[in-house]
Amino acid sequence: MDGDRFTVTYILSAESEKEVNSRAESIRVEQTVEMPLSAVPAPGLHSLGRIESIRKTEENCRWRVVISYPNQLSFNDITQGINVLFGNISLLPGILITDCSDSFFKPLFSGPAHGIRGIRELLDNPNGGISCTALKPVGLSPQELAERALHFAASGIDLIKDDHGLTNQNSAPFTDRVRQCVYAVRAGEQKSGKRTLYFPNITSSPEKVLENAIFARENGADGLLLCPQLCGLELIRTISSEIGLPVMAHPAFSGSMVIHPDHGFTPEFYYGKLWRALGADCVIYPNAGGRFSFSEETCQRINTQLRTPFCGFQSSLPAPAGGISLESIPKLLQQYGPDTAYLIGGSLYANNLGFAEAAKQFNQTLQ
Amino acid sequence: MDGDRFTVTYILSAESEKEVNSRAESIRVEQTVEMPLSAVPAPGLHSLGRIESIRKTEENCRWRVVISYPNQLSFNDITQGINVLFGNISLLPGILITDCSDSFFKPLFSGPAHGIRGIRELLDNPNGGISCTALKPVGLSPQELAERALHFAASGIDLIKDDHGLTNQNSAPFTDRVRQCVYAVRAGEQKSGKRTLYFPNITSSPEKVLENAIFARENGADGLLLCPQLCGLELIRTISSEIGLPVMAHPAFSGSMVIHPDHGFTPEFYYGKLWRALGADCVIYPNAGGRFSFSEETCQRINTQLRTPFCGFQSSLPAPAGGISLESIPKLLQQYGPDTAYLIGGSLYANNLGFAEAAKQFNQTLQ
């Protein structure tokens, strides 16, 4: 592929070779000039996508199609890059994006600022599996949430994040919550003798996200939790580059993009490549075997994609979550390895030992 | 429903009454406290969703479920409101949101600032069908795009928008394009003797969107085109309230939310209620019979929902688009009525008459 173009790989649903040819032809037009070719004037012809290959897959009526596009289409604009990937064609059935060439990412994206290595340095934890939990439920006061943070930090939990449903409710306004939880985590560290990083949830409207991020940084938060699909994907990059704290990306509202086997994006591409490229230092995703629907193979592919060399970007820390219990940690640690943040939320609170004692065992199991 | 709660109506896929009960139970927990009920402390119990009704539909294995939530969950935060609607459960199959009570919208949303009435006032066009076209293709220079704008305005087109793929490419940088197209549209109005409103595409990263919007307003643009699913949904509200120009919302990247019959949102809810509530003065959607997949019934439901009385909000102007030809306008006008922006892009350029003459006929047909 010449240096000024990038490729997108799609799996298209089509019942015949004729149909897949026609679908590929319409995609290369839809995502670029968006008008009948007969009416495209000469300067517009350079904008067109170009079909590079069409191949049958082993699955019935599914075709692997590669189309290349000029980098000029997404010049200097990540959001427009995402539009070229899946803007209008998101409205068409039977289109799944499985990959893009590095030449899509390299000119636009910078990847994580901290990544696995940076988070390990902040934690002073060079090797072990990483423990992670969530402050919840919504409805508790800042004091009550901070008390939980204190116990978790005292128990040695590595990463504590707000539940992504904690925003600015009257029960625990953002500013009070952040101040009290930061204070509690620092107090807990005195008891544990180790570092704990606290990630408050800054998700809100785009302008408020930045305001929240600045407040959190100024008040001693160690990282930031963001739901990019709710706020706008490119906010990952904005927060990463302008605030400087590690960004933990939460998948709320992104399910429609990744759970349909013949539409949207593969989870490993979306979370593993796109969110990593955008700058997510840690990516939460719904783990297999819990209450969500990813297979173990999908989870392993996300893990691999987040950690593997990719455009020279830092690796991102995978954080499988959802229905993980203390008892499942030894097996998961074998499966996913130590470069993983094991996120146990609800089941830690429900543990018969009490959550502080359960958190201690959680950490011990990961060492 | 008591005033401090709102309801969400879902269609859930489930094979038995037992299964649907269990799914509804898990949704009311997942979207609120997100932890086992046994571990929820007293102050968190007030946050829980409450199952209001579960009824079989006429379709096999599809159940209409109504769950209510306390307004406190989304207090003063639209993005968090959307998270309560479909945050984590977006990752679960077989959940379609079809409606919310007005008590979801009223405390959070303001609706369009201009709406159909406001756009008609700006156009000085109180009754007729509204013509709309797009400047394209990407690859043309600002001069070439402005020349098209001049001809369209001289032909009397009501609304001219940038193609949503025109961002800040070297071929036509945003600032040059806006300045030259505004100038051309004003010149065209001198020839037509009527108003034409120009909507440049401001879609980019969230911070850049605001910068673009301010530049466009200061340089005489009449409205703004935004792809909210790419930038972040709540930017519709931000732009509407902070910039003051009419906002035209484009559906790029939103397809995954609305094209699955058993997952996401119905198009009439998503575009017709949510985007209207957010403040979209005009909503572009893919028309039936073109290259996209909505049925005519779906399009009619979107139209109806955008125009019908709803929480005291201004109505929004529906803009069906995609594969509409000049020849289809008389029939469409009968179907959709005059309170509609008929968006013809590509097929106007491809018309044998030449696009300027075709645009004249387009306008005449709508009067």
Side-chain angles (χ1 to χ4, degrees), chain A residues 30 34-35 47 72-73 75 77 80 83 86-88 90 92 136 138 163-165 167 169-170 204-205 207 231-232 234 237-238 250 253-255 259-260 263 291 349, chain B residues 30 34-35 47 72-73 75 77 80 83 86-88 90 92 136 138 163-165 167 169-170 204-205 207 231-232 234 237-238 250 253-255 259-260 263 291 349:
Chain A
E30 186 70 51
E34 209 192 326
M35 65 196 300
S47 304
Q72 258 308 316
L73 282 180
F75 175 72
D77 193 318
Q80 163 65 2
N83 180 42
F86 202 57
N88 273 7
S90 72
L92 295 169
K136 54 171 94 172
V138 56
D163 196 29
H164 77 288
T167 51
Q169 289 93 354
N170 280 333
S204 186
S205 67
E207 66 271 29
C231 314
E234 200 175 339
R237 180 202 56 75
T238 308
H250 188 287
F253 205 55
S254 70
I259 70 163
H260 300 286
H263 193 259
R291 56 199 193 276
Y349 290 106
Chain B
E30 186 71 51
E34 208 192 325
M35 65 196 299
S47 304
Q72 258 308 316
L73 282 180
F75 175 72
D77 193 317
Q80 163 64 1
N83 179 42
F86 202 57
N88 272 7
S90 72
L92 295 169
K136 54 171 92 171
V138 57
D163 195 30
H164 77 289
T167 51
Q169 289 93 355
N170 281 333
S204 186
S205 67
E207 66 271 28
C231 315
E234 200 175 339
R237 179 203 56 75
T238 308
H250 188 287
F253 205 55
S254 70
I259 71 164
H260 300 286
H263 193 260
R291 56 198 193 277
Y349 290 106

Coordinates of all heavy atoms in Angstrom, one line a residue, chain A residues 30 34-35 47 72-73 75 77 80 83 86-88 90 92 136 138 163-165 167 169-170 204-205 207 231-232 234 237-238 250 253-255 259-260 263 291 349, chain B residues 30 34-35 47 72-73 75 77 80 83 86-88 90 92 136 138 163-165 167 169-170 204-205 207 231-232 234 237-238 250 253-255 259-260 263 291 349:
Chain A
E30 N -19.7 5.6 -1.0 CA -20.5 6.2 0.2 C -19.6 6.9 1.2 O -19.9 7.9 1.7 CB -21.2 5.0 0.8 CG -22.2 5.4 2.0 CD -23.4 6.1 1.4 OE1 -24.0 5.6 0.5 OE2 -23.7 7.2 1.9
E34 N -19.7 10.3 -2.0 CA -21.1 10.2 -1.7 C -22.0 10.7 -2.8 O -22.9 11.5 -2.5 CB -21.4 10.8 -0.3 CG -22.6 10.2 0.4 CD -23.0 11.1 1.6 OE1 -22.2 11.7 2.2 OE2 -24.2 11.1 1.8
M35 N -21.7 10.4 -4.0 CA -22.5 10.8 -5.2 C -22.3 9.9 -6.3 O -21.2 9.2 -6.4 CB -22.2 12.3 -5.5 CG -20.8 12.5 -6.0 SD -20.3 14.3 -6.0 CE -21.5 15.0 -7.1
S47 N -10.4 11.4 -4.3 CA -10.9 11.1 -3.0 C -11.5 9.7 -2.9 O -11.7 9.2 -1.8 CB -12.1 12.1 -2.6 OG -11.6 13.4 -2.7
Q72 N -5.6 11.8 2.9 CA -6.1 13.1 2.8 C -7.5 13.3 3.3 O -7.9 14.3 3.8 CB -6.0 13.6 1.4 CG -4.9 14.6 1.1 CD -4.8 15.7 2.1 OE1 -5.8 16.3 2.5 NE2 -3.6 16.0 2.6
L73 N -8.3 12.2 3.2 CA -9.7 12.2 3.6 C -9.9 12.5 5.1 O -10.8 13.2 5.5 CB -10.4 10.9 3.3 CG -10.9 10.6 1.9 CD1 -11.5 9.2 1.9 CD2 -11.8 11.7 1.4
F75 N -7.4 13.9 7.0 CA -6.2 14.8 7.3 C -6.4 15.4 8.7 O -7.3 16.2 8.9 CB -6.1 15.8 6.2 CG -5.0 16.8 6.5 CD1 -3.6 16.4 6.5 CD2 -5.3 18.1 6.9 CE1 -2.6 17.3 6.8 CE2 -4.3 19.0 7.2 CZ -2.9 18.6 7.1
D77 N -7.5 14.9 11.5 CA -8.8 14.9 12.2 C -9.3 13.5 12.5 O -9.8 12.7 11.7 CB -9.9 15.6 11.4 CG -11.1 16.0 12.2 OD1 -11.6 15.1 13.0 OD2 -11.6 17.1 12.0
Q80 N -13.0 12.6 12.0 CA -13.2 12.4 10.6 C -12.7 11.1 10.1 O -13.3 10.4 9.3 CB -12.7 13.6 9.7 CG -12.5 13.3 8.2 CD -13.8 13.1 7.5 OE1 -14.9 13.1 8.1 NE2 -13.8 12.8 6.2
N83 N -15.2 8.7 11.0 CA -16.3 8.9 10.0 C -16.0 8.1 8.7 O -16.9 7.5 8.1 CB -16.5 10.4 9.7 CG -17.6 10.6 8.7 OD1 -18.7 10.0 8.8 ND2 -17.4 11.5 7.8
F86 N -16.7 4.3 9.4 CA -18.0 3.7 9.6 C -19.1 4.8 9.8 O -20.0 4.6 10.5 CB -17.9 2.9 10.9 CG -19.0 1.8 11.0 CD1 -19.1 0.9 10.0 CD2 -19.8 1.7 12.1 CE1 -20.1 -0.1 10.1 CE2 -20.8 0.7 12.2 CZ -20.9 -0.2 11.2
G87 N -19.0 5.9 9.1 CA -20.0 7.0 9.2 C -21.3 6.6 8.6 O -22.1 6.0 9.3
N88 N -21.5 6.8 7.4 CA -22.8 6.5 6.7 C -23.0 5.0 6.7 O -24.2 4.5 6.8 CB -22.9 7.0 5.3 CG -23.4 8.5 5.3 OD1 -23.6 9.1 6.3 ND2 -23.6 9.0 4.1
S90 N -22.6 2.8 8.7 CA -23.1 2.3 10.0 C -24.6 2.0 9.8 O -25.2 1.2 10.5 CB -22.9 3.2 11.1 OG -23.7 4.4 11.1
L92 N -26.1 0.7 7.2 CA -26.3 -0.4 6.3 C -26.1 -1.7 7.1 O -25.1 -1.8 7.8 CB -25.4 -0.3 5.1 CG -25.6 0.8 4.2 CD1 -24.4 0.9 3.2 CD2 -26.9 0.7 3.5
K136 N -19.1 2.0 44.8 CA -20.5 2.0 44.5 C -21.2 1.6 45.8 O -20.6 1.2 46.8 CB -20.8 1.0 43.4 CG -20.2 -0.4 43.5 CD -20.7 -1.4 42.5 CE -19.8 -1.5 41.3 NZ -20.2 -2.5 40.3
V138 N -24.3 4.0 43.6 CA -24.9 5.3 43.6 C -26.0 5.4 44.6 O -26.8 4.5 44.8 CB -25.4 5.6 42.2 CG1 -26.4 4.6 41.7 CG2 -26.0 7.0 42.1
D163 N -17.7 3.9 40.3 CA -18.6 3.3 39.4 C -18.9 4.3 38.3 O -19.0 5.5 38.6 CB -19.9 2.9 40.2 CG -20.8 2.0 39.5 OD1 -20.3 1.1 38.7 OD2 -22.0 2.0 39.7
H164 N -19.2 3.8 37.1 CA -19.4 4.7 36.0 C -20.7 5.4 36.1 O -21.0 6.4 35.4 CB -19.2 4.1 34.6 CG -20.4 3.2 34.2 ND1 -20.7 2.1 34.9 CD2 -21.3 3.5 33.3 CE1 -21.8 1.6 34.3 NE2 -22.2 2.4 33.4
G165 N -21.6 5.0 37.0 CA -22.9 5.6 37.2 C -22.8 6.7 38.3 O -23.8 7.3 38.6
T167 N -21.9 10.2 39.0 CA -21.6 11.4 38.2 C -21.6 12.6 39.2 O -20.7 12.8 39.9 CB -22.5 11.6 37.0 OG1 -23.9 11.4 37.4 CG2 -22.2 10.4 36.0
Q169 N -24.6 13.3 41.2 CA -25.8 13.2 41.9 C -25.8 14.0 43.2 O -24.7 14.1 43.8 CB -26.2 11.8 42.2 CG -26.6 11.0 40.9 CD -25.4 10.2 40.3 OE1 -24.3 10.4 40.7 NE2 -25.7 9.4 39.3
N170 N -26.9 14.4 43.7 CA -27.0 15.1 45.0 C -26.4 14.3 46.1 O -25.8 14.8 47.1 CB -28.4 15.5 45.3 CG -28.9 16.7 44.6 OD1 -28.0 17.6 44.3 ND2 -30.1 16.9 44.3
S204 N -19.4 13.2 31.5 CA -20.5 14.1 31.5 C -20.5 14.7 30.1 O -20.0 14.1 29.2 CB -20.2 15.2 32.6 OG -21.3 16.1 32.7
S205 N -21.1 15.9 29.9 CA -21.0 16.6 28.6 C -19.5 16.9 28.3 O -18.7 17.0 29.2 CB -21.8 17.9 28.7 OG -21.2 18.8 29.5
E207 N -17.8 19.5 27.6 CA -17.1 20.7 28.3 C -17.0 20.4 29.7 O -16.0 20.8 30.4 CB -17.9 22.0 28.0 CG -19.3 22.1 28.6 CD -20.4 21.6 27.7 OE1 -20.1 20.7 26.9 OE2 -21.5 22.1 27.8
C231 N -19.5 10.3 25.7 CA -19.0 11.7 25.7 C -18.5 12.0 24.3 O -18.5 13.2 23.9 CB -17.8 11.9 26.6 SG -17.9 11.3 28.2
G232 N -18.1 11.1 23.5 CA -17.4 11.4 22.2 C -16.1 10.7 22.3 O -15.3 11.0 23.2
E234 N -13.2 11.0 20.7 CA -12.0 11.7 20.7 C -11.6 12.3 22.0 O -10.5 12.8 22.2 CB -11.9 12.7 19.5 CG -10.5 13.0 19.2 CD -10.4 14.0 17.9 OE1 -11.3 14.0 17.1 OE2 -9.3 14.6 17.8
R237 N -8.4 11.1 23.6 CA -7.2 11.8 23.2 C -7.0 13.1 23.9 O -5.9 13.5 24.4 CB -7.1 12.0 21.7 CG -5.9 12.7 21.2 CD -6.1 13.3 19.8 NE -7.2 14.3 19.8 CZ -7.2 15.5 20.4 NH1 -6.1 15.9 21.0 NH2 -8.2 16.3 20.3
T238 N -8.1 13.9 23.9 CA -8.1 15.2 24.5 C -7.6 15.1 26.0 O -6.7 15.8 26.4 CB -9.4 15.9 24.5 OG1 -9.9 15.8 23.1 CG2 -9.4 17.3 24.9
H250 N -14.2 3.1 29.8 CA -15.3 2.2 30.2 C -16.2 2.0 29.0 O -16.5 3.0 28.3 CB -16.0 2.9 31.4 CG -17.1 2.0 32.0 ND1 -18.3 1.7 31.4 CD2 -17.1 1.3 33.2 CE1 -19.0 0.8 32.2 NE2 -18.3 0.6 33.2
F253 N -22.4 2.2 26.8 CA -23.0 2.7 25.6 C -22.4 2.2 24.3 O -22.8 2.5 23.2 CB -23.1 4.2 25.6 CG -24.2 4.8 24.8 CD1 -25.5 4.5 25.0 CD2 -23.9 5.8 23.8 CE1 -26.5 5.1 24.2 CE2 -24.9 6.4 23.1 CZ -26.2 6.0 23.3
S254 N -21.3 1.5 24.4 CA -20.5 1.1 23.2 C -20.9 -0.3 22.7 O -20.5 -0.8 21.7 CB -19.0 1.1 23.4 OG -18.6 0.0 24.3
G255 N -21.8 -1.0 23.4 CA -22.2 -2.3 23.1 C -22.7 -2.5 21.6 O -22.3 -3.4 20.9
I259 N -21.3 -5.9 19.6 CA -21.8 -7.2 19.9 C -22.5 -7.9 18.8 O -23.0 -9.0 18.9 CB -22.8 -7.1 21.1 CG1 -24.1 -6.4 20.8 CG2 -22.2 -6.5 22.4 CD1 -25.2 -6.7 21.8
H260 N -22.6 -7.2 17.6 CA -23.3 -7.9 16.5 C -22.3 -8.6 15.6 O -21.4 -7.9 15.1 CB -24.1 -6.8 15.7 CG -25.1 -6.1 16.6 ND1 -26.3 -6.7 16.9 CD2 -25.1 -4.9 17.1 CE1 -27.0 -5.9 17.7 NE2 -26.3 -4.8 17.8
H263 N -22.1 -6.9 12.1 CA -22.2 -5.4 12.0 C -21.4 -4.7 13.0 O -21.3 -5.2 14.1 CB -23.7 -5.0 12.2 CG -24.0 -3.6 11.8 ND1 -24.1 -2.6 12.6 CD2 -24.2 -3.1 10.5 CE1 -24.3 -1.4 12.0 NE2 -24.4 -1.7 10.7
R291 N -22.1 -11.8 33.2 CA -23.4 -11.5 32.8 C -23.4 -10.9 31.4 O -24.5 -10.6 30.8 CB -24.1 -10.6 33.8 CG -23.5 -9.3 34.0 CD -24.0 -8.7 35.4 NE -23.6 -7.3 35.5 CZ -22.4 -6.9 36.0 NH1 -21.5 -7.8 36.4 NH2 -22.1 -5.6 36.1
Y349 N -18.1 -6.8 47.2 CA -19.0 -6.3 48.3 C -19.9 -7.4 48.9 O -20.3 -7.4 50.0 CB -19.9 -5.2 47.7 CG -19.2 -3.9 47.4 CD1 -18.9 -3.6 46.1 CD2 -18.8 -3.1 48.4 CE1 -18.3 -2.4 45.8 CE2 -18.1 -1.9 48.1 CZ -17.9 -1.6 46.8 OH -17.2 -0.4 46.5
Chain B
E30 N -28.5 -3.5 36.9 CA -27.4 -3.2 36.1 C -27.3 -1.7 35.8 O -26.2 -1.1 35.8 CB -27.5 -3.9 34.7 CG -26.3 -3.8 33.8 CD -25.1 -4.5 34.3 OE1 -25.2 -5.7 34.6 OE2 -24.0 -3.9 34.5
E34 N -25.6 -1.7 40.2 CA -24.7 -2.6 39.5 C -23.9 -3.4 40.5 O -22.7 -3.5 40.5 CB -23.7 -1.7 38.7 CG -23.1 -2.4 37.5 CD -21.9 -1.7 36.9 OE1 -21.9 -0.4 36.9 OE2 -21.0 -2.3 36.4
M35 N -24.7 -4.1 41.4 CA -24.0 -5.0 42.4 C -25.1 -5.9 42.9 O -26.3 -5.6 42.8 CB -23.4 -4.2 43.5 CG -24.3 -3.4 44.4 SD -23.4 -2.2 45.4 CE -22.3 -3.2 46.4
S47 N -31.8 4.0 44.9 CA -31.3 4.2 43.5 C -31.9 3.2 42.5 O -31.8 3.3 41.3 CB -29.8 4.1 43.4 OG -29.2 5.1 44.3
Q72 N -33.2 11.2 40.3 CA -31.9 11.5 41.0 C -30.7 10.9 40.3 O -29.6 11.4 40.3 CB -32.0 11.1 42.4 CG -32.2 12.2 43.4 CD -31.2 13.4 43.2 OE1 -30.0 13.2 43.0 NE2 -31.8 14.6 43.2
L73 N -31.0 9.8 39.6 CA -29.8 9.1 39.0 C -29.2 9.9 37.9 O -28.0 9.8 37.6 CB -30.3 7.7 38.3 CG -30.6 6.6 39.2 CD1 -31.0 5.4 38.4 CD2 -29.3 6.2 40.0
F75 N -29.5 13.3 37.6 CA -29.7 14.7 38.1 C -28.8 15.6 37.3 O -27.5 15.5 37.3 CB -29.3 14.8 39.6 CG -29.3 16.2 40.1 CD1 -30.5 16.8 40.3 CD2 -28.2 16.8 40.4 CE1 -30.6 18.1 40.7 CE2 -28.2 18.1 40.9 CZ -29.4 18.8 41.1
D77 N -27.7 16.0 34.4 CA -26.6 15.5 33.5 C -27.2 14.7 32.4 O -27.6 13.5 32.6 CB -25.6 14.7 34.4 CG -24.3 14.5 33.6 OD1 -24.4 14.1 32.4 OD2 -23.2 14.6 34.2
Q80 N -25.3 11.4 31.6 CA -25.6 10.4 32.6 C -27.0 9.8 32.3 O -27.3 8.7 32.5 CB -25.4 10.9 34.0 CG -26.1 10.1 35.1 CD -25.5 8.7 35.3 OE1 -24.6 8.3 34.6 NE2 -26.1 8.0 36.2
N83 N -26.7 7.3 29.8 CA -26.1 6.2 30.4 C -27.1 5.3 31.2 O -27.0 4.1 31.1 CB -25.0 6.6 31.4 CG -24.3 5.5 32.1 OD1 -24.0 4.5 31.5 ND2 -24.0 5.6 33.4
F86 N -29.1 3.3 28.5 CA -28.5 2.2 27.7 C -27.0 2.1 27.8 O -26.3 1.7 26.9 CB -28.9 2.5 26.2 CG -28.8 1.3 25.3 CD1 -29.6 0.2 25.6 CD2 -28.0 1.3 24.1 CE1 -29.6 -0.9 24.8 CE2 -28.0 0.1 23.3 CZ -28.8 -1.0 23.6
G87 N -26.5 2.4 29.0 CA -25.0 2.3 29.2 C -24.5 0.9 29.2 O -24.2 0.4 28.1
N88 N -24.5 0.2 30.3 CA -24.0 -1.2 30.3 C -24.9 -2.1 29.5 O -24.3 -3.0 28.9 CB -23.9 -1.7 31.8 CG -22.6 -1.3 32.4 OD1 -21.8 -0.6 31.8 ND2 -22.4 -1.8 33.6
S90 N -26.2 -1.8 26.8 CA -25.9 -1.9 25.4 C -25.0 -3.1 25.0 O -25.0 -3.5 23.9 CB -25.1 -0.6 25.0 OG -23.8 -0.6 25.5
L92 N -25.5 -6.1 26.1 CA -26.4 -7.3 26.2 C -27.3 -7.4 25.0 O -27.8 -6.4 24.5 CB -27.3 -7.2 27.4 CG -26.5 -7.3 28.8 CD1 -27.5 -7.0 29.9 CD2 -25.9 -8.6 29.0
K136 N -20.6 19.1 -2.3 CA -19.8 17.9 -2.4 C -19.2 17.9 -3.8 O -19.6 18.6 -4.7 CB -20.5 16.6 -2.0 CG -21.8 16.4 -2.8 CD -22.3 15.0 -2.6 CE -23.3 14.9 -1.4 NZ -24.0 13.6 -1.3
V138 N -15.9 15.8 -1.5 CA -14.6 16.1 -0.9 C -13.6 16.0 -2.0 O -13.6 15.1 -2.8 CB -14.4 15.2 0.3 CG1 -14.5 13.7 -0.2 CG2 -13.1 15.4 0.9
D163 N -21.4 18.6 2.7 CA -21.3 17.2 2.9 C -20.7 16.9 4.2 O -19.8 17.6 4.6 CB -20.5 16.6 1.7 CG -20.7 15.1 1.6 OD1 -21.8 14.6 2.0 OD2 -19.8 14.4 1.2
H164 N -21.2 15.9 4.9 CA -20.6 15.6 6.3 C -19.2 15.1 6.2 O -18.5 15.0 7.3 CB -21.5 14.7 7.1 CG -21.4 13.3 6.7 ND1 -21.8 12.8 5.5 CD2 -20.8 12.2 7.3 CE1 -21.5 11.5 5.4 NE2 -20.9 11.1 6.5
G165 N -18.7 14.8 5.1 CA -17.3 14.3 4.9 C -16.4 15.5 4.6 O -15.2 15.3 4.5
T167 N -14.4 18.2 6.1 CA -14.0 18.7 7.4 C -12.9 19.7 7.3 O -13.3 20.9 7.0 CB -13.6 17.4 8.3 OG1 -12.6 16.7 7.6 CG2 -14.8 16.6 8.6
Q169 N -9.9 19.1 5.3 CA -8.9 18.6 4.4 C -8.2 19.8 3.7 O -8.7 20.9 3.6 CB -9.6 17.8 3.3 CG -10.2 16.5 3.8 CD -11.7 16.5 4.2 OE1 -12.2 17.6 4.3 NE2 -12.2 15.4 4.6
N170 N -7.0 19.4 3.3 CA -6.1 20.4 2.6 C -6.9 21.0 1.3 O -6.7 22.1 1.0 CB -4.8 19.8 2.1 CG -3.8 19.8 3.3 OD1 -3.9 20.6 4.2 ND2 -2.9 18.8 3.3
S204 N -15.9 17.5 14.4 CA -14.5 17.3 14.6 C -14.4 16.8 16.1 O -15.4 16.4 16.6 CB -13.7 18.6 14.4 OG -12.3 18.3 14.5
S205 N -13.3 17.0 16.7 CA -13.2 16.7 18.1 C -14.0 17.7 18.9 O -14.3 18.8 18.4 CB -11.7 16.8 18.6 OG -11.3 18.1 18.5
E207 N -13.6 19.8 21.3 CA -13.1 21.2 21.5 C -13.1 21.9 20.2 O -13.4 23.1 20.1 CB -11.8 21.2 22.2 CG -10.6 20.7 21.5 CD -10.4 19.2 21.7 OE1 -11.4 18.5 22.0 OE2 -9.2 18.7 21.6
C231 N -19.2 13.0 17.5 CA -18.6 14.0 18.5 C -19.0 13.8 19.9 O -18.3 14.2 20.8 CB -19.0 15.4 18.1 SG -19.0 15.8 16.4
G232 N -20.1 13.2 20.1 CA -20.7 13.1 21.5 C -22.1 13.7 21.4 O -22.3 14.9 21.0
E234 N -24.2 15.0 23.5 CA -24.7 16.2 24.2 C -24.1 17.4 23.5 O -24.6 18.5 23.9 CB -24.3 16.1 25.7 CG -25.1 17.1 26.5 CD -24.8 17.0 28.0 OE1 -24.3 16.0 28.5 OE2 -25.2 18.0 28.7
R237 N -26.8 19.8 22.3 CA -27.3 20.8 23.3 C -26.3 22.0 23.5 O -26.7 23.1 23.5 CB -27.5 20.1 24.7 CG -28.1 21.1 25.7 CD -27.8 20.6 27.2 NE -26.4 20.3 27.4 CZ -25.4 21.2 27.6 NH1 -25.7 22.5 27.6 NH2 -24.2 20.9 27.8
T238 N -25.0 21.6 23.6 CA -24.0 22.7 23.8 C -24.1 23.7 22.7 O -24.1 24.9 22.9 CB -22.6 22.0 23.9 OG1 -22.6 21.0 24.9 CG2 -21.6 23.0 24.3
H250 N -26.7 15.1 11.7 CA -26.5 14.1 10.7 C -26.3 12.7 11.3 O -25.6 12.6 12.3 CB -25.3 14.5 9.9 CG -25.0 13.7 8.6 ND1 -24.6 12.4 8.7 CD2 -25.2 14.0 7.3 CE1 -24.5 11.9 7.5 NE2 -24.9 12.8 6.6
F253 N -22.5 7.4 11.7 CA -21.9 6.6 12.9 C -23.0 6.2 13.8 O -22.8 5.4 14.8 CB -20.9 7.4 13.6 CG -19.9 6.5 14.4 CD1 -19.2 5.5 13.7 CD2 -19.6 6.7 15.7 CE1 -18.2 4.7 14.4 CE2 -18.7 5.9 16.4 CZ -18.0 4.9 15.8
S254 N -24.3 6.6 13.6 CA -25.4 6.3 14.6 C -26.1 5.0 14.1 O -27.0 4.6 14.9 CB -26.3 7.4 14.7 OG -27.1 7.6 13.5
G255 N -25.8 4.4 13.0 CA -26.6 3.3 12.5 C -26.7 2.2 13.5 O -27.7 1.6 13.6
I259 N -30.4 0.3 13.7 CA -30.9 -0.5 12.6 C -31.1 -2.0 13.0 O -31.6 -2.8 12.2 CB -29.8 -0.6 11.4 CG1 -28.6 -1.3 11.8 CG2 -29.6 0.8 10.9 CD1 -27.7 -1.7 10.5
H260 N -30.9 -2.3 14.2 CA -31.1 -3.7 14.7 C -32.5 -3.8 15.3 O -32.8 -3.1 16.2 CB -30.1 -4.1 15.7 CG -28.7 -4.0 15.1 ND1 -28.2 -4.9 14.2 CD2 -27.7 -3.1 15.3 CE1 -26.9 -4.6 13.9 NE2 -26.6 -3.5 14.5
H263 N -32.3 -4.7 19.1 CA -31.3 -4.1 19.9 C -31.1 -2.6 19.6 O -31.2 -2.2 18.5 CB -29.9 -4.8 19.6 CG -28.9 -4.5 20.6 ND1 -27.9 -3.6 20.4 CD2 -28.7 -5.0 21.9 CE1 -27.1 -3.5 21.5 NE2 -27.6 -4.3 22.4
R291 N -30.7 3.9 -0.7 CA -29.7 2.9 -0.6 C -29.6 2.4 0.9 O -28.8 1.6 1.2 CB -28.3 3.4 -1.1 CG -27.8 4.7 -0.5 CD -26.7 5.3 -1.3 NE -26.0 6.3 -0.6 CZ -26.4 7.6 -0.5 NH1 -27.6 8.0 -1.1 NH2 -25.7 8.5 0.1
Y349 N -26.7 16.5 -8.7 CA -25.5 16.7 -9.5 C -25.5 15.8 -10.7 O -25.0 16.2 -11.8 CB -24.3 16.3 -8.7 CG -24.0 17.3 -7.5 CD1 -24.2 17.0 -6.2 CD2 -23.4 18.5 -7.8 CE1 -23.9 17.8 -5.2 CE2 -23.2 19.4 -6.8 CZ -23.4 19.1 -5.5 OH -23.1 20.0 -4.5

